[in-house]
């Protein structure tokens, strides 16, 4: 069958962590670059699709559209830092990856993601303004408004704003990293796409904070004239959101699922059930602990 059971799924994640940790620097940068570019496309697409709608309708449309970028990333086997925030800790917990390898992967992929987002953002800004001789138009105005809300509003609230950005980062990557995990629960392209669409659309519709998406939104808005400084971007958004994404991915997704499905669990066979046919085993009551 196409479905991969949870215990086996965690073994697949452990194996994926080992493969990611073994990637060379160039591979991580290039795969990270492409992931950042695809998320930039998806974010712009989602904002464009929701143009003219407000409230729940806008959230529903944007949430339904945005996962196209994540689906392409998964199907192409690219590298996204927020997904790796969940995958690599599972490798550590299962003895397949070291902390040094994990931090190395996170660092290079994060940089690659930023380069892809910034490069694509520059091209989109150039296209929206006819090489910076026209106004940014509706899509550019949307990017500016969102970017200012993601930075200046948090700064205005002070420490409460910083904490809000952090918590939204936690909530966001709990869903996004779950999309990375669920992508391994199917061996078919259609199954992978359907599995990741559920949590990823949830995060985007709820307007939570994703550090890689913000690498596109905020720098692009700055290119289009948003009144945001680099310090404001980094201090009031990128830093707390990235830390929140790490907690949401590593703790609430990867390690929590690992604890629910400890290593070797899928290989244990209850003695009372040995020798049964698959059908008999399915209907036979489990042995008491």
């Amino acid at each position: 069958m196409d479905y991969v059971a949870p215990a086996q799924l965690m073994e697949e994640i452990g194996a994926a962590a080992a493969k990611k940790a073994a990637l060379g620097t160039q591979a991580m940068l290039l795969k990270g670059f492409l992931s950042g570019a695809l998320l930039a496309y998806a974010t712009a697409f989602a904002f464009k699709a929701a143009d003219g709608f407000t409230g729940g309708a806008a959230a529903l449309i944007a949430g339904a559209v945005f996962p196209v970028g994540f689906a392409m990333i998964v199907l192409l086997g690219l590298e996204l830092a927020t997904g790796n925030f969940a995958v690599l800790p599972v490798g550590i917990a299962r003895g397949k990856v070291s902390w040094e390898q994990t931090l190395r992967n996170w660092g290079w992929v994060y940089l690659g993601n930023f380069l892809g987002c910034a490069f694509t953002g520059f091209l989109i800004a150039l296209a929206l303004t006819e090489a910076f001789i026209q106004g940014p138009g509706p899509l550019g105005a949307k990017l500016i408004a969102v970017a200012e809300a993601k930075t200046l509003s948090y700064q205005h609230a002070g420490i409460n704003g910083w904490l809000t950005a952090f918590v939204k980062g936690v909530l966001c990557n709990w869903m996004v990293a779950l999309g990375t995990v669920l992508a391994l629960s199917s061996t078919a392209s259609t199954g992978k796409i359907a599995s990741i669409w559920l949590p990823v659309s949830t995060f985007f519709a709820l307007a939570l904070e994703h550090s890689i998406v913000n690498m596109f939104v905020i720098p692009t808005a700055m290119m289009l004239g948003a009144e945001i400084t680099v310090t404001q971007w980094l201090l009031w958004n990128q830093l707390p959101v990235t830390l929140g994404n790490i907690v949401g991915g590593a703790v609430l997704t990867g390690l929590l699922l690992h604890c629910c499905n400890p290593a070797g669990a899928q290989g244990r066979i209850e003695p009372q059930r040995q020798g049964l046919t698959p059908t008999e085993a399915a209907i036979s009551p489990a042995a008491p602990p």
Side-chain angles (χ1 to χ4, degrees):
M1 293 181 64
D2 178 50
Y3 173 66
V4 178
Q8 180 59 36
L9 172 61
M10 297 311 297
E11 292 297 319
E12 295 288 340
I13 295 171
K19 292 179 180 178
K20 289 176 178 291
L23 288 173
T25 301
Q26 183 180 31
M28 287 187 285
L29 281 172
L30 291 176
K31 289 187 173 187
F33 177 90
L34 289 173
S35 289
L38 292 176
L39 276 196
Y41 266 109
T43 304
F45 181 25
F47 287 164
K48 182 70 174 180
D51 185 34
F53 294 89
T54 59
L60 179 62
I61 293 169
V65 167
F66 174 77
V68 298
F70 200 90
M72 290 187 282
I73 289 169
V74 168
L75 294 178
L76 290 171
L78 302 178
E79 292 290 310
L80 187 65
T82 47
N84 291 0
F85 290 163
V87 173
L88 273 296
V90 174
I92 293 175
R94 293 178 178 244
K96 298 179 182 293
V97 177
S98 69
W99 271 109
E100 182 181 1
Q101 290 174 310
T102 296
L103 295 177
R104 172 179 172 270
N105 177 277
W106 288 358
W108 286 115
V109 171
Y110 192 85
L111 175 59
N113 291 162
F114 168 70
L115 294 175
C117 286
F119 178 74
T120 308
F122 171 73
L123 295 182
I124 289 177
L126 190 147
L128 290 175
T129 61
E130 295 187 16
F132 301 103
I133 63 170
Q134 301 288 342
L139 178 55
K142 175 68 173 179
L143 286 168
I144 292 172
V146 171
E148 291 180 345
K150 286 176 174 288
T151 52
L152 303 183
S153 62
Y154 294 145
Q155 182 183 26
H156 179 73
I159 187 62
N160 291 333
W162 199 96
L163 180 60
T164 299
F166 171 80
V167 171
K168 284 188 174 182
V170 173
L171 291 170
C172 165
N173 213 33
W174 197 350
M175 289 292 97
V176 172
L178 191 59
T180 300
V181 169
L182 288 176
L184 295 171
S185 69
S186 173
T187 58
S189 295
T190 53
K192 289 180 180 293
I193 293 172
S195 295
I196 68 173
W197 217 276
L198 306 175
V200 174
S201 63
T202 299
F203 120 74
F204 202 83
L206 290 174
L208 301 175
E209 295 287 352
H210 189 269
S211 57
I212 311 306
V213 168
N214 292 348
M215 289 176 181
F216 161 68
V217 173
I218 300 174
T220 304
M222 292 166 67
M223 297 178 205
L224 293 172
E227 297 182 358
I228 302 170
T229 67
V230 172
T231 300
Q232 288 171 323
W233 162 41
L234 297 178
L235 180 60
W236 294 102
N237 183 283
Q238 203 63 40
L239 176 59
V241 170
T242 299
L243 293 175
N245 286 172
I246 291 173
V247 173
V251 179
L252 297 179
T253 305
L255 294 179
L256 187 57
L257 288 173
H258 164 74
C259 291
C260 292
N261 302 277
Q266 82 285 358
R268 293 196 293 269
I269 303 175
E270 298 170 11
Q272 295 91 336
R273 296 162 66 82
Q274 289 183 8
L276 297 179
T277 66
T279 301
E280 292 171 333
I283 64 176
S284 175

